[in-house]
Amino acid sequence: MANKNSSAAKAVLLRLQQPPTEAQLQQLRQLGVSTGGITGAIVSASVPAEQLPAVQALPFVERVELSHPRPKRQ
């Protein structure tokens, strides 16, 4: 199942109401979300595309934004 999810995963930033609790991170994991860095109430994550609506519906998630790499400085 991990291969199926990773091939359709979307890199996103999750903007939460407050820094996530361990229980909230577990809820995300149960939806197949892989989290990366956490800075305050912002979590970088990889979300299976089919789970995006479920992640957006979580009461502690304010917004889901597609993540875009920053251009390198020259």
Side-chain angles (χ1 to χ4, degrees), residues 55-71:
V55 170
Q56 290 175 318
L58 291 170
F60 57 89
V61 175
E62 286 187 351
R63 186 170 55 217
V64 178
E65 302 173 5
L66 284 178
S67 180
H68 302 285
R70 297 181 95 180

Side-chain angles (χ1 to χ4, degrees), residues 16-29 35 38 40-41 43 60:
L16 311 181
Q17 294 175 354
Q18 58 190 9
T21 64
E22 187 55 42
Q24 291 169 335
L25 292 172
Q26 183 60 31
Q27 281 183 282
L28 291 169
R29 285 186 215 110
T35 58
I38 300 172
V43 179
F60 57 89

Side-chain angles (χ1 to χ4, degrees), residues 42-56:
I42 299 172
V43 179
S44 67
S46 179
V47 179
E50 66 273 8
Q51 293 294 1
L52 281 169
V55 170
Q56 290 175 318

